[in-house]
C-alpha cells in the first residue's frame, strides 16, 4: 500500500512539474538566450549521433526487408517499405530514444549537480526564477529539436536504404525517391514527425524533474541521470502507443 | 557565441528544408498542388476502397478518393467521390468505366478509370461514371477450384473409360487371336465370319466410348480457358500459385493416364500384326485426348506469360524457350550455369550433307547422341532438355539458320527415339557463340543440356 | 535596543522545520550595519538554513525576518529582487555556474538586477576580480579553478552588487589556514571599508574570534548563546562555552 501511495504521489509530482513547465513557458519573462543555448546543446550536438544511426539503421533495414520482398517478387516495394517504416515509426521512435539516452541523462546529471552544489540556490539568490532559467529552456529545446532530429533521422535512413539498395540493384535515385513516397500521405508524414514534440516534452520534463528535485547531494547526480533515461525512454514508448491511436483517430485513413 | 548561433541556425534551416522537402514529395504524389476535377461513381461492393485510396486513369496516378457516401438501404450504392488531376480529365469520357483493382500480390486496392471511347464526350466535372462490380478473389478462386475439380473428375473418368475401352480392345484382340488360331488350325471360314462380326461390333463400341471421353476432356479444357480469361481480366490472382499447381498436377495426371493407356495399348497391340487397324483407331482417339491435355498445358503456359509477374515464374524456372532470344538465353542462370550437365558434340561426327542439299545425321552421329543421352542418366527423364545448335558459317544469317536446322535434326531424332515428353525438349540456335563461362568460346555442332535446377 | 534604522538583519521568533525535524526553534536576534556575526554550531543545527531564510530562498514556518527593515517573509518576487540587491551570498562551495566563464558568472547578477550598460558591467567585474586577486582569470571556466580561487571568485560574485549585507556559508571550509585567513581578510576589509554587515556561518572558531563582533551559537535548533565573543565564552550554556573555548586552543 505504501508503495502504491508513493507511486501515485510520484505521478502527481511529475504531473504538476510538467504542468508548471507548460505554464511557465507561456509566462514572461522569456529566457531566449538560455533556450538558444540549450537548443545548441540538444539539437546540434545530437545531430551526428542521429544522422549516423539513422543511416546505418536504414541500410540494415533494407538488407533485411529485401530478402523477404524478393521472395514475393515485390522488389519495387522496397523503397516504399523503407520510407513508410522510417517516416511513420522508426524515425520518430529511435530519434526519441537516442535523444532520451544522450540528452536525458545530461539534463538529469547537470541539474542534479547544480542542485547539489547550490548553483540553483545561487540563481534564486539573484532573483532569477531558476525553474524558468534552467528547466523551461531545456524542455523547450527538446520539444523544438526532436522533430527536426526526427527529420534528419528519416532522411538519413532513406539515404542509407537507398545506398544499400543501389549497391544490390543499381536503382536510379529519382526512381527510388518516387517509389519511396508513393505510399506516404500527409498524415503519415506530418503527424508522426510532430508527435515527437511530445516525446521531446517527455524527455525534457522527466529528466529535469529528476535533476531539479534531487536532494541527495553528489550521490543524487548519477541516480538522476539513470532515472531520467529509464523513465523517459519508457514513457516515450508508452506515449507512442497512445499517440498512434490518437493519430489513427484524427486521420482514420492512415489506419489500414 | 556567434558560432553557436550559426550552428543552431544551420540546424534549424536544414531541418526546415527537410520538412519542406518531405511535404513537397508527399504533396506531389497526391497532387495537392495541382488542379482537380471531382468525379463520382457508384459501387454495391467497395472491396476495400477507402477515403484516400489511389485513383488511376488508364494506369497513371491521377488522384484519390476524397469521400464515400454510405447507402441507407441494402439496395443502395456506395457513392464514391474521386479527385482527378485536371491533366488527365481529357481521357475520362462519358462512357468511361471505373473498376476496383489491386496493386501487386499484397497491395492496396485502388480505382481505375478506363479511358473512354474517342467519340464520347468528355465527362463533365461532377458527373457519375459507370462502374463494374469487383470480382472478389475468393469467388474467383472457388470458381476456379470448382472447374479444376470438374476437370480432375473428368480426367479420372477418362482414365476409367479408357480402361474399359482397353478391356474391350483386349477382348477384341483376343478374338482376333482366336480367329487366327482357328484359321491356322483349319477351322472353317463360316466360323470365321461369325466371329469376325462380333469382333467388329466390339471394336466399334470401344471406339465410340473413347470418343465420348475425349469430347468430355475437350469440354473441360474449354472451361479452363474461361477461368484463364477471367484471371487475366482481373489481373491479380493472389493465390494463383496454388491454382497453377492444381492445373499442372491435373494435366500431369492426364498425361500419366494417357501414358499408361499408351503402354497398355502397346502391350495389347504389340504381339499381333492383325490388331493394327483397331490399334490405329485407338491411337487417333488418344491423340485427340493428347490435344485436349495439350490445350490445358498451353493454357497454363499462357498464364505464365500474361500474368503480371514474369519474374515470379522465371524465379521458379518456368522458361519458354520460344520466348527467349539467343542473347537472353546465354545469360539465363538456369541454362548458362556450369551446374547443368552438358555434352558437346562436334559437327564433323554428327552430320553429313544429304543428297538433296541440307545436312542429315550420320550413323556415327546417332551413336554419339545415344551415348550422350545415356551419359546423362536419370535426370534426363525429369528435367527439361535443351538442344543447342551451333554453326560457324560465314554469314550471321547462315550461322543462325544452320544452327537451328542442326538443333532441330537432333531434337527430332531424340524425340522419336526416346520416351521424353515432347514439351520437355527445346531447341536453341546459338550461331557460333555458346553461353559465357562454359569453357568454349566458339562451337560448331550440338550441345545437349539437361537443365538441372540446383 | 539599537536604533531600528541601523539594524541590518533581524529574526523575530523564527520557526522552521523539515518534516518532523525542527531546525530553527523560536530564534530571535538582530545585528547592525557594519557588524560581523559569526554563527557557530555543530553540523545540521540550522546555520545554513538561517542564511537561506535571510536570502528568502526558504520561508520560515512562523516568525519574521527583517532585512534592512523589510520583512522578507511576506514579500513577493518583485520586492524580493529589490531586497536581494542589498544582499551578497557566498555559498559553501562557491556555487559558480559551471556553464559560464568567471566573467559571465560575475556579470550575470549585474545584468539581471541592475540597469548598468555593458561597459559599466565590464568595469565593475574587472574591478571586483582584481580586488580578490583574480584579475587575469576572467575567461576561465569554474572547473579550471582551484578551491581557494573558487572561494574568492564566489566572494567576488557576492560583492559585484556592492551589498550592504554579506552572507557567507563556511567561507574557510576546505581551505588551508593561509588561504582561509586571506578570505577572512577580504571579508574584514569589506566590513571596514564599506560598513557591510557580515553574517558568517563557520566551524572555524579561530577565524570567528578574529572577525566577529557578535557570536551566535546554535544547538538543536535553539539559539543557545548570542553576544560578543567574551560574553559567549562566559555563557551559561555548556555547549556554547565549550565551542568557544575549544576554538581558542587550536
Amino acid at each position: 500500500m505504501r508503495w502504491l501511495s508513493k507511486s501515485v504521489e510520484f505521478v502527481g509530482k511529475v504531473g504538476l512539474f510538467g504542468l508548471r513547465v507548460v505554464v511557465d513557458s507561456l509566462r514572461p519573462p522569456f529566457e531566449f538566450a538560455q533556450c538558444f543555448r540549450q537548443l545548441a546543446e540538444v539539437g546540434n550536438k545530437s545531430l551526428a549521433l542521429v544522422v549516423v544511426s539513422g543511416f546505418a539503421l536504414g541500410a540494415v533495414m533494407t538488407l533485411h526487408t529485401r530478402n523477404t520482398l524478393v521472395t514475393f517478387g515485390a522488389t519495387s516495394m522496397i523503397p516504399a517499405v523503407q520510407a513508410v517504416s522510417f517516416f511513420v515509426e522508426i524515425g520518430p521512435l529511435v530519434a526519441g530514444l537516442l535523444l532520451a539516452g544522450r540528452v536525458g541523462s545530461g539534463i538529469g546529471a547537470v541539474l542534479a549537480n547544480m542542485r547539489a552544489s547550490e548553483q540553483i540556490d545561487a540563481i534564486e539568490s539573484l532573483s532569477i526564477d531558476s525553474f524558468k532559467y534552467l528547466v523551461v529552456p531545456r524542455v523547450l529545446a527538446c520539444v523544438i529539436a526532436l522533430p527536426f532530429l526526427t527529420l534528419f533521422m528519416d532522411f538519413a535512413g532513406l539515404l542509407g536504404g537507398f545506398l544499400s539498395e543501389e549497391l544490390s540493384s543499381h536503382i536510379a535515385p529519382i526512381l527510388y525517391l518516387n517509389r519511396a513516397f508513393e505510399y506516404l500521405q500527409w498524415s503519415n508524414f506530418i503527424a508522426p514527425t510532430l508527435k515527437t514534440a511530445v516525446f521531446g516534452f517527455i524527455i525534457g520534463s522527466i529528466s529535469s524533474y529528476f535533476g531539479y528535485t534531487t536532494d541527495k547531494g553528489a550521490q543524487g547526480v548519477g541516480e538522476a541521470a539513470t532515472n531520467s533515461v529509464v523513465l523517459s525512454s519508457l514513457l516515450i514508448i508508452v506515449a507512442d502507443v497512445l499517440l498512434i491511436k490518437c493519430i489513427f483517430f484524427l486521420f482514420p485513413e492512415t489506419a489500414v | 557565441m556567434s558560432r553557436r548561433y550559426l550552428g543552431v541556425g544551420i540546424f534549424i534551416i536544414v531541418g526546415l528544408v527537410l520538412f519542406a522537402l518531405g511535404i513537397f514529395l508527399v504533396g506531389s504524389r497526391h497532387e495537392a498542388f495541382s488542379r482537380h476535377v471531382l468525379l463520382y461513381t457508384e459501387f454495391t461492393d467497395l472491396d476495400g476502397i477507402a477515403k484516400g485510396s489511389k485513383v488511376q486513369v488508364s494506369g497513371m496516378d491521377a488522384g484519390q478518393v476524397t469521400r464515400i457516401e454510405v447507402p441507407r438501404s441494402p439496395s443502395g450504392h456506395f457513392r464514391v467521390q474521386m479527385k482527378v488531376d485536371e491533366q488527365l480529365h481529357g481521357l475520362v469520357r462519358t462512357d468511361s468505366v471505373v473498376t476496383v483493382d489491386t496493386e501487386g500480390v499484397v497491395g492496396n486496392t485502388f480505382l481505375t478509370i478506363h479511358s473512354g471511347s474517342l467519340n464520347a464526350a468528355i465527362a463533365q466535372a461532377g458527373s457519375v461514371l459507370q462502374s463494374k462490380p469487383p470480382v472478389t478473389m475468393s469467388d474467383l478462386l472457388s470458381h476456379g477450384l470448382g472447374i479444376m475439380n470438374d476437370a480432375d473428375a473428368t480426367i479420372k473418368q477418362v482414365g476409367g473409360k479408357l480402361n474399359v475401352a482397353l478391356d474391350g480392345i483386349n477382348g477384341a484382340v483376343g478374338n482376333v487371336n482366336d480367329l487366327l488360331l482357328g484359321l491356322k488350325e483349319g477351322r472353317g471360314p463360316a466360323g470365321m465370319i461369325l466371329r469376325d462380326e462380333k469382333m467388329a461390333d466390339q471394336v466399334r463400341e470401344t471406339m465410340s466410348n473413347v470418343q465420348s471421353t475425349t469430347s468430355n476432356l475437350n469440354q473441360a479444357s474449354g472451361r479452363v480457358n474461361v477461368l484463364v480469361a477471367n484471371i487475366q481480366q482481373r489481373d491479380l490472382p493472389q493465390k494463383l500459385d496454388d491454382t497453377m499447381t492444381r492445373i499442372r498436377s491435373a494435366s500431369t495426371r492426364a498425361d500419366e493416364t494417357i501414358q499408361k493407356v499408351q503402354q497398355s495399348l502397346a502391350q495389347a497391340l504389340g504381339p499381333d500384326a492383325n490388331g493394327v487397324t483397331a490399334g490405329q483407331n485407338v491411337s487417333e482417339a488418344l491423340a485427340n485426348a493428347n490435344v485436349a491435355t495439350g490445350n490445358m498445358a498451353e493454357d497454363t503456359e499462357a498464364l505464365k506469360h500474361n500474368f503480371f509477374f514474369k519474374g515470379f515464374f522465371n524465379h521458379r524456372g518456368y522458361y519458354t524457350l520460344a520466348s527467349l532470344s539467343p542473347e537472353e538465353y546465354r545469360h539465363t542462370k538456369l541454362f548458362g550455369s556450369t551446374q547443368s550437365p552438358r555434352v558437346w558434340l562436334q559437327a564433323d561426327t554428327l552430320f553429313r550433307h544429304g543428297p538433296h542439299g541440307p545436312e542429315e545425321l550420320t550413323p556415327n552421329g546417332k551413336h554419339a547422341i545415344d551415348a550422350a543421352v545415356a551419359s546423362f542418366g536419370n535426370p534426363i527423364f525429369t528435367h527439361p532438355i535443351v538442344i543447342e545448335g551451333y554453326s560457324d558459317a560465314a554469314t550471321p544469317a547462315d550461322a543462325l539458320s544452320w544452327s537451328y536446322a542442326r538443333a532441330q535434326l537432333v531434337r527430332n531424332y531424340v524425340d522419336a527415339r526416346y520416351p521424353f515428353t515432347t514439351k520437355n525438349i527445346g531447341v536453341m540456335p546459338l550461331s557460333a557463340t555458346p553461353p559465357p563461362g562454359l569453357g568454349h568460346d566458339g562451337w560448331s555442332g550440338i550441345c545437349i543440356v539437361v537443365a538441372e535446377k540446383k | 535596543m539599537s536604533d531600528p534604522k541601523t539594524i541590518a538583519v533581524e529574526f523575530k521568533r523564527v520557526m522552521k522545520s523539515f518534516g518532523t525535524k525542527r531546525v530553527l526553534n523560536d530564534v530571535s536576534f538582530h545585528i547592525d550595519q557594519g557588524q560581523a556575526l559569526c554563527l557557530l554550531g555543530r553540523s545540521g543545527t540550522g546555520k545554513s538554513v538561517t542564511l537561506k531564510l535571510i536570502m528568502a530562498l526558504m520561508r520560515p514556518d512562523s516568525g519574521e525576518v527583517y532585512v534592512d527593515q523589510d520583512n522578507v517573509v511576506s514579500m513577493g518576487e518583485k520586492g524580493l529582487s529589490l531586497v536581494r540587491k542589498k544582499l551578497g551570498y557566498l555559498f559553501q562551495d562557491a556555487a559558480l555556474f559551471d556553464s559560464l566563464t568567471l566573467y559571465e558568472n560575475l556579470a550575470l547578477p549585474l545584468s539581471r538586477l541592475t540597469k548598468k550598460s555593458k561597459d559599466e558591467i565590464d568595469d565593475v567585474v574587472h574591478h571586483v576580480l582584481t580586488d580578490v586577486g583574480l584579475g587575469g582569470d576572467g575567461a576561465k571556466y569554474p572547473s579550471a579553478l582551484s578551491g581557494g580561487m573558487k572561494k574568492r571568485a564566489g566572494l567576488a560574485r557576492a560583492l559585484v552588487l556592492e551589498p550592504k549585507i554579506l552572507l557567507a556559508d563556511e567561507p574557510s571550509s576546505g581551505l588551508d589556514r593561509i588561504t582561509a585567513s586571506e578570505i577572512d581578510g577580504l571579508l574584514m576589509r569589506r566590513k571596514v571599508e564599506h560598513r557591510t554587515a557580515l553574517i558568517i556561518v563557520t566551524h572555524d572558531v579561530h577565524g570567528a574570534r578574529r572577525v566577529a563582533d557578535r557570536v551566535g551559537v546554535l544547538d538543536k535548533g535553539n539559539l543557545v548563546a548570542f553576544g560578543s565573543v567574551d560574553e559567549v565564552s562566559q555563557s551559561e550554556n555548556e555547549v556554547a562555552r565549550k565551542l568557544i573555548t575549544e576554538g581558542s586552543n587550536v
Side-chain angles (χ1 to χ4, degrees):
Chain A
M1 271 324 273
R2 265 197 72 161
W3 177 85
L4 188 71
S5 72
K6 269 203 154 171
S7 309
V8 174
E9 200 178 304
F10 173 78
V11 171
K13 280 183 186 165
V14 173
L16 281 178
F17 191 88
L19 196 67
R20 191 174 163 195
V21 171
V22 174
V23 171
D24 272 10
S25 63
L26 299 173
R27 196 164 53 86
F30 304 109
E31 302 279 357
F32 288 115
Q34 277 296 309
C35 282
F36 217 76
R37 179 189 276 270
Q38 291 307 325
L39 198 53
E41 186 70 33
V42 174
N44 288 38
K45 291 195 179 167
S46 310
L47 193 55
L49 172 74
V50 163
V51 168
V52 172
S53 17
F55 185 84
L57 206 57
V60 170
M61 263 281 295
T62 290
L63 292 179
H64 281 307
T65 50
R66 201 182 154 69
N67 265 339
T68 317
L69 291 178
V70 162
T71 321
F72 288 107
T75 40
S76 69
M77 297 268 292
I78 291 171
V81 168
Q82 181 81 4
V84 170
S85 54
F86 257 84
F87 279 87
V88 172
E89 200 45 67
I90 293 183
L93 191 63
V94 175
L97 291 177
L98 285 176
L99 199 74
R102 205 201 86 83
V103 174
S105 62
I107 292 177
V110 165
L111 291 183
N113 182 46
M114 291 186 85
R115 174 64 79 192
S117 64
E118 293 186 299
Q119 288 179 52
I120 292 181
D121 284 333
I123 287 170
E124 291 280 338
S125 76
L126 299 176
S127 274
I128 300 171
D129 185 341
S130 62
F131 194 85
K132 293 186 83 159
Y133 188 76
L134 297 173
V135 175
V136 174
R138 282 177 164 79
V139 178
L140 283 185
C142 289
V143 169
I144 294 168
L146 192 50
F148 284 115
L149 289 172
T150 304
L151 285 168
F152 279 103
M153 179 115 206
D154 291 345
F155 280 90
L158 209 56
L159 182 67
F162 165 67
L163 288 183
S164 154
E165 178 65 15
E166 164 75 25
L167 287 178
S168 41
S169 74
H170 306 292
I171 190 170
I174 190 75
L175 180 62
Y176 189 90
L177 210 58
N178 244 332
R179 285 188 177 159
F181 283 89
E182 197 169 356
Y183 292 88
L184 273 181
Q185 290 159 10
W186 293 93
S187 46
N188 52 24
F189 170 62
I190 297 177
T193 306
L194 292 186
K195 86 178 172 191
T196 58
V198 178
F199 295 173
F201 183 80
I202 290 172
I203 296 170
S205 37
I206 293 293
S207 316
S208 298
Y209 174 82
F210 282 115
Y212 191 76
T213 60
T214 183
D215 53 2
K216 291 188 185 160
Q219 180 210 338
V221 176
E223 219 169 84
T226 313
N227 287 343
S228 303
V229 177
V230 172
L231 193 66
S232 49
S233 308
L234 188 72
L235 283 186
I236 283 178
I237 295 170
V238 173
D240 197 24
V241 178
L242 299 177
L243 286 171
I244 288 169
K245 273 284 165 203
C246 288
I247 292 173
F248 283 177
F249 180 73
L250 292 174
F251 306 96
E253 68 269 22
T254 48
V256 179
Chain B
M1 202 66 179
S2 70
R3 241 173 122 185
R4 183 189 300 143
Y5 282 113
L6 192 72
V8 175
I10 291 172
F11 175 72
I12 290 177
I13 289 168
V14 176
L16 286 174
V17 167
L18 290 182
F19 189 66
L21 188 71
I23 285 194
F24 176 75
L25 285 169
V26 172
S28 71
R29 273 271 137 215
H30 293 268
E31 293 89 22
F33 302 124
S34 59
R35 296 164 57 83
H36 294 99
V37 286
L38 291 180
L39 293 167
Y40 296 86
T41 188
E42 288 179 340
F43 285 103
T44 39
D45 182 354
L46 284 177
D47 195 24
I49 290 292
K51 200 176 146 191
S53 292
K54 215 156 60 175
V55 176
Q56 292 190 339
V57 172
S58 306
M60 182 171 175
D61 281 0
Q64 53 182 309
V65 171
T66 45
R67 208 174 56 190
I68 293 172
E69 283 169 29
V70 181
R72 293 229 180 94
S73 70
S75 60
H77 298 279
F78 288 96
R79 193 182 175 87
V80 179
Q81 187 189 53
M82 301 170 290
K83 204 162 82 169
V84 175
D85 193 345
E86 177 75 53
Q87 289 177 355
L88 292 158
H89 189 189
L91 296 178
V92 185
R93 301 294 167 112
T94 46
D95 61 350
S96 284
V97 176
V98 185
T99 55
V100 180
D101 292 299
T102 309
E103 298 170 338
V105 185
V106 289
N108 293 320
T109 46
F110 64 96
L111 293 178
T112 297
I113 304 176
H114 297 274
S115 60
S117 60
L118 196 58
N119 301 327
I122 292 176
Q124 289 301 304
S127 58
V128 180
L129 301 174
Q130 288 167 273
S131 69
K132 211 169 134 188
V135 182
T136 60
M137 194 60 223
S138 50
D139 285 354
L140 191 70
L141 275 179
S142 55
H143 184 54
L145 286 178
I147 292 175
M148 287 303 112
N149 287 336
D150 284 358
D152 233 22
T154 317
I155 287 161
K156 273 184 195 143
Q157 227 180 328
V158 171
K161 284 192 180 170
L162 277 177
N163 278 336
V164 173
L166 281 176
D167 286 346
I169 292 167
N170 270 335
V173 171
N175 286 345
V176 173
N177 263 341
D178 281 358
L179 188 70
L180 287 177
L181 279 175
L183 271 175
K184 278 181 191 161
E185 282 167 16
R187 294 192 202 150
M192 183 193 87
I193 291 163
L194 188 69
R195 283 167 177 251
D196 193 50
E197 264 173 16
K198 254 189 186 171
M199 186 196 86
D201 282 348
Q202 269 173 338
V203 169
R204 230 174 281 133
E205 196 187 331
T206 312
M207 283 310 100
S208 73
N209 274 348
V210 170
Q211 264 154 9
S212 80
T213 44
T214 307
S215 77
N216 265 351
L217 209 51
N218 260 327
Q219 223 177 325
S221 118
R223 288 165 87 173
V224 171
N225 266 334
V226 172
L227 165 74
V228 168
N230 251 341
I231 288 170
Q232 281 166 356
Q233 198 183 7
R234 275 286 288 157
D235 205 21
L236 52 69
Q238 241 161 312
K239 292 182 181 169
L240 205 81
D241 209 12
D242 253 23
T243 320
M244 284 291 306
T245 25
R246 272 165 198 273
I247 296 175
R248 283 172 67 82
S249 72
S251 64
T252 331
R253 249 179 272 167
D255 265 4
E256 272 170 22
T257 318
I258 288 160
Q259 213 116 34
K260 268 188 212 155
V261 172
Q262 261 170 345
Q263 268 172 18
S264 21
L265 263 189
Q267 279 169 6
L269 302 178
D272 201 301
N274 286 23
V276 153
T277 332
Q280 263 170 355
N281 279 338
V282 173
S283 283
E284 247 171 57
L286 284 178
N288 282 343
N290 248 333
V291 170
T293 50
N295 280 347
M296 251 160 91
E298 266 170 35
D299 291 334
T300 57
E301 208 60 35
L303 262 185
K304 284 187 225 161
H305 292 290
N306 293 326
F307 191 56
F308 55 114
F309 284 137
K310 202 177 163 200
F312 178 80
F313 288 99
N314 284 349
H315 191 69
R316 288 162 167 70
Y318 295 96
Y319 285 97
T320 304
L321 286 175
S323 69
L324 284 179
S325 74
E327 193 45 45
E328 279 169 343
Y329 174 85
R330 283 190 196 101
H331 292 99
T332 305
K333 271 189 201 146
L334 185 59
F335 303 112
S337 149
T338 45
Q339 286 174 337
S340 301
R342 327 175 136 253
V343 172
W344 300 84
L345 301 171
Q346 203 119 37
D348 308 355
T349 41
L350 284 177
F351 307 109
R352 66 174 175 224
H353 281 282
H356 309 297
E359 285 181 325
E360 57 181 41
L361 280 172
T362 61
N364 276 345
K366 289 178 182 173
H367 287 147
I369 294 168
D370 292 345
V373 169
S375 77
F376 284 121
N378 266 335
I380 203 164
F381 292 96
T382 50
H383 291 88
I385 305 151
V386 181
I387 297 163
E388 298 170 351
Y390 296 99
S391 164
D392 52 3
T395 66
D398 280 352
L400 188 63
S401 107
W402 283 38
S403 58
Y404 181 59
R406 284 175 172 176
Q408 275 296 7
L409 268 178
V410 175
R411 176 207 149 100
N412 290 343
Y413 173 73
V414 172
D415 198 12
R417 188 165 163 85
Y418 298 102
F420 302 144
T421 318
T422 311
K423 63 178 175 152
N424 271 357
I425 311 175
V427 294
M428 183 45 68
L430 290 175
S431 300
T433 327
L438 296 172
H440 292 276
D441 288 335
W443 192 251
S444 174
I446 284 296
C447 181
I448 302 175
V449 188
V450 174
E452 257 190 279
K453 212 176 132 241
K454 297 198 175 166
Chain C
M1 271 311 253
S2 39
D3 178 2
K5 280 188 183 156
T6 64
I7 290 178
V9 174
E10 180 166 16
F11 271 49
K12 280 185 181 167
R13 304 187 63 93
V14 172
M15 308 275 247
K16 178 73 183 171
S17 320
F18 291 121
T20 54
K21 195 189 171 203
R22 178 150 292 185
V23 285
L24 286 181
N25 184 20
D26 199 8
V27 170
S28 302
F29 69 89
H30 69 87
I31 69 155
D32 292 342
Q33 288 296 345
Q35 278 192 328
L37 165 65
C38 279
L39 284 174
L40 296 168
R42 281 184 277 188
S43 299
T45 50
K47 304 188 303 283
S48 297
V49 172
T50 310
L51 294 188
K52 287 183 178 166
L53 287 171
I54 297 170
M55 203 56 167
L57 296 176
M58 292 174 187
R59 307 279 169 134
D61 301 335
S62 71
E64 288 150 12
V65 176
Y66 289 93
V67 175
D68 211 14
Q69 291 140 50
D70 295 317
N71 185 357
V72 297
V73 174
S74 53
M75 208 174 260
E77 275 297 318
K78 221 167 200 172
L80 277 178
S81 75
L82 288 174
V83 171
R84 281 170 181 158
K85 264 195 245 182
K86 303 174 195 167
L87 293 166
Y89 198 137
L90 170 56
F91 287 90
Q92 190 165 356
D93 294 314
L96 297 167
F97 307 127
D98 294 327
S99 55
L100 304 179
T101 63
L102 203 46
Y103 170 86
E104 288 167 338
N105 259 291
L106 267 65
L108 186 67
L110 290 167
S111 62
R112 286 300 177 131
L113 294 177
T114 69
K115 290 187 172 118
K116 286 190 163 67
S117 72
K118 192 158 173 0
D119 288 344
E120 285 172 310
I121 291 174
D122 267 359
D123 274 355
V124 175
V125 171
H126 184 72
H127 183 252
V128 175
L129 274 180
T130 318
D131 221 27
V132 297
L134 293 169
D137 300 317
K140 284 185 181 165
Y141 281 92
S143 53
L145 299 178
S146 71
M149 287 162 92
K150 270 188 195 166
K151 218 53 154 203
R152 278 186 282 163
L155 181 58
R157 189 178 64 189
L159 294 177
V160 282
L161 290 169
E162 312 235 324
K164 289 167 85 172
I165 302 150
L166 183 61
L167 313 173
D169 196 352
E170 313 247 0
S172 51
S173 74
L175 300 178
D176 59 277
R177 282 298 276 276
I178 298 169
T179 321
S181 64
E182 265 175 34
I183 301 281
D184 285 345
L186 286 168
L187 291 172
M188 279 303 286
R189 224 175 75 207
R190 198 72 205 171
K191 186 184 92 171
V192 174
E193 287 174 11
H194 296 86
R195 278 189 56 76
T196 306
L198 298 178
I199 299 178
I200 302 166
V201 165
T202 186
H203 286 110
D204 179 11
V205 179
H206 185 77
R209 290 172 84 99
R210 277 200 305 137
V211 178
D213 301 308
R214 289 282 184 276
V215 174
V217 178
L218 283 164
D219 185 39
K220 294 171 189 156
N222 296 307
L223 186 63
V224 293
F226 190 85
S228 67
V229 177
D230 290 339
E231 283 166 13
V232 171
S233 58
Q234 285 155 23
S235 158
E236 291 166 18
N237 187 288
E238 200 186 338
V239 180
R241 227 170 36 235
K242 231 178 178 174
L243 257 173
I244 289 289
T245 43
E246 263 176 22
S248 65
N249 299 336
V250 177

